[in-house]
Amino acid sequence: MHILVTNDDGVTAPGLAALAQAMRALGRVTVVAPDHNWSASGHVKTMHKPLRVKKAALADGAEALATDGAPSDCVALAFLGVVPDKIDMVVSGINPFANMSHDVTYSGTVMAAMEGAIARVPAVAVSVDGAATAGYETAAWAAARVVSRVAERGLPPYTLLNVNVPRVAVSDVKGFRITRQGLRVYRDALVERADPRGVPYYWIGGEAPTGMPDEGTDFAALADGYVSVTPLRLDLTAYDLLEPLREWTL
Amino acid sequence: MHILVTNDDGVTAPGLAALAQAMRALGRVTVVAPDHNWSASGHVKTMHKPLRVKKAALADGAEALATDGAPSDCVALAFLGVVPDKIDMVVSGINPFANMSHDVTYSGTVMAAMEGAIARVPAVAVSVDGAATAGYETAAWAAARVVSRVAERGLPPYTLLNVNVPRVAVSDVKGFRITRQGLRVYRDALVERADPRGVPYYWIGGEAPTGMPDEGTDFAALADGYVSVTPLRLDLTAYDLLEPLREWTL
């Protein structure tokens, strides 16, 4: 199995090195990652300018390729030929701070995995709750568990798995839960300031968003000490609205 | 009704002026749009740097606000207070080139509307098939039809409508179809070149993607001369995979 590993925090992020190490136990690993941080960058396809690809080193010194494109560009470039060998799976992470709920479309980590699903290979995004000050050991362990199962079982086309790991030691993990996306509670606030010339500028600030720990959700799994595994699909169609909308007689 | 209008092509794009004109027949309009083109920018939340907001003019001279943030930032800034009055709906477009299928997460136009849905107001994204060389009249007419119905009926929380309009005269439109997302057929190709110093660079090129015109899809509606209206949801959970994954015994 040939696993493409990427992230949205950049090629030198410790979470990327931890993920690549864990994946090497399961197969051959190629890392193609951004040369700088792309957090909250969403799903990007860079077409208006050329992209560079250069050799780089992970935080542990292992070989990698770095690009000046977004996380999803890294995956697209790999499939378009920057990585000449066939890729069997895409794994993205390990992102510090969970990527949960119905706003994962902001997440460079999840959108990099989605680019793998668009390329029709199984894809997994991995994030750890909080700032990962306790390290990436638990998330790397959980990623290996999930990825080895995906390798055995496969995933339907155009789907991916979004894995979020609690910030506890491996021995304290309660288990794995298959979850649905919960609802975010935003706490963004606008900071307005004046620059040295008196011209106003704005900064999107406020506290980090939390979420509703409703039963069955990603938020509830983490709150209860479980690893959350959420299957996502590329098809955003709200099927339950098709019939009601047909009665609108547009 | 107070309608926030935005786009991803920038404040001077003719499609934005056409949309704002059409919306003024339905209510009060405020335009907050990017100061440059953000095509294929995805869902962005700019938190690592401040954003500027300045007065600008649409292509037809009407007043607008322009920001140096992404389309989704424009919507977030508006709701966070840059637009002090209550906003009742977000309408994004008119984008030249359709935004269809399971990769709408790339689309700045659709993600700007999604930001409206996250802010819990009804939201509509509008695009016209092809390069809109025939102008925006048909798309502006279709947008007004859909938005006036949304104003009457509302939309469930965390959903939005993605409207794609054929490039024909209003009198040649066959009608409106409520559709699901189709499947893209990608024709990306990697162009590798050497810069003036002999260093390689890459450009994501190839032909524009097409799509599978399967029955009931957005692609089929446009191919048949209909306006496509696809309801989208923020919840990407693949519900049909929850039970199968629970049998994996992770």
Side-chain angles (χ1 to χ4, degrees):
Chain A
M1 180 167 62
H2 182 199
I3 305 170
L4 177 69
V5 172
T6 191
N7 75 344
D8 81 341
D9 294 307
V11 69
T12 59
L16 180 66
L19 182 61
Q21 285 173 18
M23 293 300 105
R24 278 187 212 107
L26 304 174
R28 183 183 151 210
V29 168
T30 299
V31 178
V32 183
D35 62 10
H36 65 277
N37 190 316
W38 281 80
S39 294
S41 65
H43 200 185
V44 174
K45 183 177 282 193
T46 300
M47 295 177 290
H48 62 287
K49 62 170 191 172
L51 295 169
R52 299 285 188 166
V53 179
K54 59 187 177 186
K55 289 188 179 176
L58 300 182
D60 61 6
E63 278 185 18
L65 293 173
T67 89
D68 53 351
S72 40
D73 286 324
C74 292
V75 175
L77 286 170
F79 278 96
L80 285 171
V82 163
V83 175
D85 300 338
K86 180 172 172 289
I87 296 163
D88 302 304
M89 199 181 310
V90 173
V91 186
S92 175
I94 298 165
N95 193 68
F97 300 105
N99 277 304
M100 298 194 288
S101 100
H102 60 293
D103 65 356
V104 293
T105 49
Y106 291 126
S107 163
T109 308
V110 178
M111 291 300 109
M114 183 175 278
E115 193 71 25
I118 286 174
R120 297 200 60 162
V121 303
V124 179
V126 185
S127 307
V128 61
D129 197 28
T133 43
Y136 291 95
E137 192 198 351
T138 304
W141 164 83
R145 281 281 287 264
V146 172
V147 169
S148 64
R149 275 289 192 285
V150 172
E152 291 164 21
R153 307 289 194 110
L155 287 174
Y158 306 119
T159 60
L160 57 148
L161 297 183
N162 185 28
V163 178
N164 285 282
V165 181
R167 193 174 22 148
V168 297
V170 172
S171 56
D172 291 332
V173 171
K174 296 269 183 64
F176 290 73
R177 265 195 207 156
I178 310 301
T179 59
R180 64 184 167 89
Q181 292 185 330
L183 286 177
R184 273 262 180 248
V185 177
Y186 288 95
R187 298 185 291 178
D188 288 347
L190 194 65
V191 177
E192 180 175 356
R193 292 183 184 151
D195 73 11
R197 272 152 295 280
V199 182
Y201 62 90
Y202 300 89
W203 211 301
I204 299 178
E207 294 181 76
T210 59
M212 300 291 290
D214 297 322
E215 193 181 333
T217 63
D218 39 16
F219 290 115
L222 258 68
D224 294 344
Y226 288 79
V227 175
S228 166
V229 180
T230 312
L232 305 182
R233 57 179 196 170
L234 268 64
D235 183 355
L236 310 191
T237 307
Y239 285 95
D240 55 335
L241 291 185
L242 293 177
E243 281 312 313
L245 287 175
R246 283 179 186 136
E247 285 161 23
W248 283 16
T249 60
L250 281 161
Chain B
M1 179 167 61
H2 182 201
I3 305 171
L4 177 69
V5 172
T6 192
N7 75 344
D8 80 342
D9 294 307
V11 70
T12 60
L16 180 66
L19 182 62
Q21 284 174 18
M23 293 301 105
R24 277 187 214 108
L26 304 173
R28 182 182 152 212
V29 168
T30 299
V31 178
V32 183
D35 62 10
H36 66 278
N37 190 316
W38 282 79
S39 295
S41 65
H43 200 184
V44 175
K45 185 176 281 192
T46 300
M47 294 176 291
H48 63 288
K49 62 170 190 173
L51 294 169
R52 297 285 188 168
V53 179
K54 58 186 176 188
K55 288 187 180 176
L58 300 183
D60 60 5
E63 278 186 17
L65 294 172
T67 88
D68 54 348
S72 40
D73 287 323
C74 292
V75 176
L77 286 169
F79 278 95
L80 286 171
V82 163
V83 174
D85 300 338
K86 180 173 172 289
I87 295 163
D88 301 305
M89 198 179 313
V90 173
V91 185
S92 173
I94 300 167
N95 192 68
F97 300 105
N99 277 305
M100 299 193 287
S101 99
H102 59 292
D103 64 357
V104 294
T105 48
Y106 291 125
S107 162
T109 308
V110 179
M111 291 301 109
M114 185 176 278
E115 193 72 24
I118 287 173
R120 296 201 61 164
V121 303
V124 179
V126 185
S127 308
V128 61
D129 196 26
T133 45
Y136 292 94
E137 192 198 350
T138 305
W141 164 82
R145 282 280 286 265
V146 172
V147 168
S148 64
R149 276 290 192 286
V150 172
E152 290 164 22
R153 309 288 196 109
L155 287 174
Y158 306 120
T159 61
L160 58 148
L161 297 184
N162 184 28
V163 178
N164 285 281
V165 181
R167 193 175 21 149
V168 297
V170 172
S171 56
D172 292 332
V173 171
K174 297 271 184 59
F176 291 74
R177 265 195 208 157
I178 310 300
T179 58
R180 62 184 169 89
Q181 291 185 330
L183 285 177
R184 272 263 179 249
V185 177
Y186 288 97
R187 300 185 291 178
D188 289 346
L190 194 65
V191 176
E192 181 175 353
R193 292 182 184 151
D195 73 12
R197 273 153 292 281
V199 182
Y201 63 89
Y202 300 88
W203 211 301
I204 298 178
E207 295 179 76
T210 59
M212 301 292 289
D214 298 322
E215 194 182 332
T217 63
D218 40 14
F219 289 116
L222 259 70
D224 294 345
Y226 288 80
V227 175
S228 166
V229 179
T230 312
L232 304 182
R233 56 179 197 169
L234 269 63
D235 183 356
L236 309 190
T237 306
Y239 285 95
D240 54 335
L241 290 185
L242 292 177
E243 281 312 313
L245 287 175
R246 283 177 185 136
E247 286 161 21
W248 283 17
T249 58
L250 280 158

